[in-house]
Amino acid sequence: MYYGTIKKHDIANGPGVRVSLFVSGCRHHCKGCFNAETWDFRYGQLYTEETEKEILAALEPGYIQGFTLLGGEPFEPENQESLIHLCNRVRNELPDKDIWCFSGFTYEEITGNSRANIKNTKELLSLIDVLVDGRFVEDKKDISLKFRGSSNQRIINIKKTMAEGKVVLWEE
């Protein structure tokens, strides 16, 4: 897996101060994407054990609320294995941090019949607290929306969604 950047003090991609990993690789190619350079699966730097250590160290301070995955596309099959490993480490070593994920796939695509749903997808999903789902749609762009770019996107509480068997939206 490759990644475009790590933001160690991100206040735009989830509540509070966060560490965000922008993974590389996305086949959605949404018109008006703010991060089109990350469509290329080889964009940026190779993700390594050192990258993982850097992310975990950045997450340690008490003022960091959580970790955010975005890209690119975290649920592209090529990215899932590395992200499962990383999210498991965050859960085990820093259990007080929440994990958010932004995906162009909808929750239904991630859990249904799509290229995003591979052998270990359910495990990755289970490690996430909140999923911002759906492709960015330029005609539905709304800069007044919190934590999303277009009105078709949802902010989903994954723990409640999995427990209740239906999509439950996140509430602040």
Side-chain angles (χ1 to χ4, degrees):
M1 180 178 84
Y2 280 73
Y3 68 98
T5 192
I6 299 167
K7 289 189 178 181
K8 295 182 180 174
H9 298 97
D10 188 353
I11 58 169
N13 295 302
V17 181
R18 313 184 67 74
V19 174
S20 294
L21 173 65
F22 290 76
V23 301
S24 295
C26 182
R27 293 180 179 93
H28 299 307
H29 296 191
C30 300
K31 181 181 177 186
C33 175
F34 83 104
N35 213 9
E37 63 273 7
T38 63
W39 294 353
D40 181 348
F41 282 85
R42 297 262 182 208
Y43 173 78
Q45 301 174 60
L46 182 64
Y47 180 86
T48 65
E49 181 67 29
E50 290 306 310
T51 310
E52 199 163 281
K53 288 177 185 174
E54 179 183 352
I55 291 167
L56 291 166
L59 282 165
E60 285 180 4
Y63 64 87
I64 300 291
Q65 180 170 332
F67 179 53
T68 300
L69 299 170
L70 56 169
E73 174 57 64
F75 278 94
E76 287 289 4
E78 295 87 339
N79 293 331
Q80 290 188 38
E81 186 176 334
S82 294
L83 295 178
I84 288 168
H85 186 265
L86 173 59
C87 289
N88 268 313
R89 286 198 64 190
V90 172
R91 283 278 173 244
N92 292 329
E93 297 173 32
L94 301 157
D96 294 336
K97 308 297 180 179
D98 62 6
I99 299 175
W100 278 49
C101 181
F102 287 72
S103 176
F105 290 104
T106 63
Y107 176 78
E108 291 79 8
E109 288 172 322
I110 291 168
T111 58
N113 186 17
S114 79
R115 75 174 181 272
N117 192 352
I118 60 173
K119 179 177 70 168
N120 296 322
T121 302
K122 189 173 183 179
E123 181 180 2
L124 178 56
L125 197 58
S126 75
L127 294 166
I128 294 167
D129 295 297
V130 175
L131 175 71
V132 181
D133 81 336
R135 289 159 184 75
F136 172 74
V137 177
E138 193 169 47
D139 291 343
K140 295 182 178 186
K141 181 179 180 176
D142 183 347
I143 61 170
S144 71
L145 296 171
K146 198 168 196 177
F147 307 132
R148 53 199 172 120
S150 58
S151 60
N152 61 296
Q153 296 170 312
R154 301 175 293 182
I155 305 174
I156 300 172
N157 181 322
I158 291 298
K159 302 298 181 206
K160 287 184 178 178
T161 293
M162 293 178 97
E164 295 184 23
K166 64 177 184 172
V167 171
V168 177
L169 299 180
W170 173 79
E171 295 179 22
E172 216 167 342

